[in-house]
Amino acid sequence: MNAGEREAVTVLGATGSVGLNTLDLIARQPDRFRVEAVTANRNALKLAELARSHGARFAAIADPAAYRELKSALAGTGIQAAAGPAALIEAAQRPAARVMAAIVGAAGLAPALAAVERGGMVLLANKECLVCAGQYFMEAAAKANARILPVDSEHSAIFQALAADRLSAVEAVTLTASGGPFRDWPAERLAHARPEEAICHPNWAMGAKISIDSATLMNKGLELIEAHHLFSVPPDRLRVLVHPESIVHGLVAFTDGSVIAQMAPPDMRIPIAYSLSWPERMSAPTPRLDLADLAGLTFEAPDLARFPALRIALAALREGGGAPTVLNAANEVAVAAYLNKRISFPHIAMIVEQVLNGVPSGDMCEPSALEDALALDARAREMADTAIRASLIQAV
Ligand code: NAD
Ligand code: MG
């Protein structure tokens, strides 16, 4: 980049919680960044508004039915409008120094891969990409010489704590978990937990899907799989620690007994800012940590009996192959069914486990191509749908 030239950033999933925080940070440094492309799923008006206010050159909406609305909302602006899966890929491939991959779910895999394949920096919020096809994704990144910068707060923490140390000197990598809104709920009460209660996360304001994943602790399971791929840490060196204050985000323990942890107030703009400025740091309008002001920091082991989703995800991580692909797809379907009040809270984990048990082990190979991952993903979704329809349990 020449002096005076602004860095182009593309934001996939611009209308979401991570996407909006990213655009907010970018807008605060107009001399440093400009927006190349933005994408969204269905909300054409919101996407058009973001594209206009941030001066994007290209706006892509996933749902082809929303194309006309987007096109007319952008009429006369000179911003190019496009729709459908190919448009998301085009957005990801346009020349940009950094691409923020913040689509939720496996739907973000193909666009994130397209961003990876052009090399450059990919700011990865979309953890489901790595759970669905982690090995393939990281191999594609290595082949294209792409730099994956973690956006998930725990992974940003581990990325910083690892610094230049060798993996062979790492004894354990620990991700912290807030424990979610139901951390101290007894099992009987969890059976009746309503989506509106599950969405109220005590420390973070996030999209609906990740909020439910945080309530079941599936999010931490997905994050262990994410960490395994991002940092090449073997499953037996990965740990989870419940830490309700969400101040310490991740810890790396080394072979000499030293532990390096990263701390920050729970605000996603902090890891997002690091991914936008790495290898430098930028100033951000985020709260500052005042340890004297805190009542204390507490840590406890996760309760795998009340939160079976974490146990199931841990088993999928250890099993490897296509198990995480199946886990992720079944979870996406089960979470959507829970949000639509078709199943109860405990059924999310039950459906995921049922689907994992239903796929013959011979069919759970490690996806070695995008098509393999998507085929296994589609099969698991169908099985989850069937399992949900078969479960006659009425929702709360
Ligand atoms: P969100 O639901 O707020 O936003 C999701 C974005 O993806 C929206 O722009 C939406 O339009 C788009 N989208 C949804 N479905 C799509 C589809 N089928 N095709 C194309 N686009 C689609 O989600 P979020 O909370 O911003 O999370 C985004 C990703 O970042 C998730 O993978 C999540 O796990 C991860 N993440 C989020 C947070 C957070 O604080 N929100 C923290 C860590 C990691
Ligand atoms: Mg996280």
Side-chain angles (χ1 to χ4, degrees):
M1 196 173 63
N2 299 326
E5 198 178 306
R6 294 182 300 163
E7 228 183 276
V9 183
T10 283
V11 184
L12 308 175
T15 54
S17 158
V18 171
L20 290 173
N21 275 318
T22 306
L23 288 171
D24 175 66
L25 285 168
I26 289 174
R28 289 168 192 272
Q29 307 223 11
D31 299 333
R32 179 169 185 161
F33 299 114
R34 70 168 182 83
V35 176
E36 173 65 26
V38 285
T39 81
N41 191 21
R42 296 213 162 89
N43 194 341
L45 290 181
K46 180 78 190 165
L47 181 65
E49 179 202 314
L50 290 172
R52 294 170 88 122
S53 60
H54 293 275
R57 297 179 180 177
F58 186 81
I61 192 98
D63 183 359
Y67 176 67
R68 288 174 117 221
E69 201 179 0
L70 179 66
K71 179 109 181 122
S72 70
L74 289 177
T77 61
I79 303 168
Q80 201 182 327
L88 295 188
I89 304 289
E90 188 183 342
Q93 285 175 333
R94 287 177 72 98
R98 297 175 200 249
V99 177
M100 165 60 81
I103 291 174
V104 59
L109 173 59
L113 261 175
V116 156
E117 280 160 2
R118 53 177 260 305
M121 289 182 270
V122 177
L123 289 44
L124 193 66
N126 179 210
K127 65 192 84 183
E128 292 92 350
C129 278
L130 288 178
V131 182
C132 180
Q135 190 173 310
Y136 176 69
F137 192 90
M138 294 310 289
E139 281 170 10
K143 222 186 273 173
N145 221 356
R147 185 41 123 147
I148 309 289
L149 297 170
V151 172
D152 218 340
S153 53
E154 299 78 359
H155 303 72
S156 177
I158 301 303
F159 181 63
Q160 295 173 60
L162 275 173
D165 278 295
R166 280 170 202 273
L167 209 56
S168 59
V170 171
E171 223 159 55
V173 165
T174 301
L175 309 183
T176 60
S178 67
F182 305 149
R183 183 176 55 89
D184 46 18
W185 283 33
E188 313 79 67
R189 198 172 163 206
L190 282 178
H192 307 287
R194 294 195 309 271
E196 14 341 337
E197 295 171 305
I199 273 181
C200 286
H201 197 280
N203 305 344
W204 305 92
M206 312 181 283
K209 194 260 176 183
I210 184 176
S211 297
I212 303 302
D213 285 346
S214 300
T216 59
L217 289 202
M218 178 61 90
N219 183 49
K220 217 41 61 180
L222 301 178
E223 289 186 354
L224 289 172
I225 299 168
E226 181 186 14
H228 166 62
H229 291 294
L230 279 176
F231 307 117
S232 305
V233 182
D236 62 349
R237 280 193 235 165
L238 285 166
R239 316 257 185 280
V240 171
L241 197 54
V242 173
H243 167 46
E245 297 83 15
S246 296
I247 298 294
V248 177
H249 301 287
L251 311 92
V252 179
F254 294 93
T255 46
D256 58 2
S258 183
V259 177
I260 298 187
Q262 186 261 1
M263 292 194 278
D267 187 323
M268 275 309 288
R269 289 174 302 171
I270 298 173
I272 293 172
Y274 192 52
S275 74
L276 279 170
S277 61
W278 181 90
E280 292 162 26
R281 287 195 188 261
M282 63 193 241
S283 60
T286 44
R288 298 300 186 251
L289 187 58
D290 181 354
L291 286 173
D293 214 30
L294 286 172
L297 298 179
T298 54
F299 301 92
E300 66 197 42
D303 181 345
L304 300 187
R306 273 184 311 129
F307 299 100
L310 180 55
R311 168 183 57 75
I312 297 163
L314 272 165
L317 165 68
R318 291 195 193 106
E319 188 175 337
T325 317
V326 171
L327 170 94
N328 179 65
N331 181 57
E332 284 192 35
V333 174
V335 168
Y338 174 65
L339 282 168
N340 292 326
K341 304 205 169 190
R342 291 177 64 211
I343 59 171
S344 70
F345 186 76
H347 276 89
I348 301 174
M350 284 161 68
I351 300 282
V352 173
E353 192 160 43
Q354 202 176 321
V355 173
L356 273 164
N357 290 338
V359 181
S361 50
D363 293 355
M364 286 232 246
C365 309
E366 177 76 48
S368 56
L370 175 60
E371 298 69 41
D372 295 348
L374 295 181
L376 189 54
D377 173 282
R379 181 169 169 194
R381 279 171 201 269
E382 227 168 83
M383 290 172 68
D385 262 332
T386 309
I388 288 163
R389 263 183 269 118
S391 72
L392 295 169
I393 300 95
Q394 267 304 304
V396 267

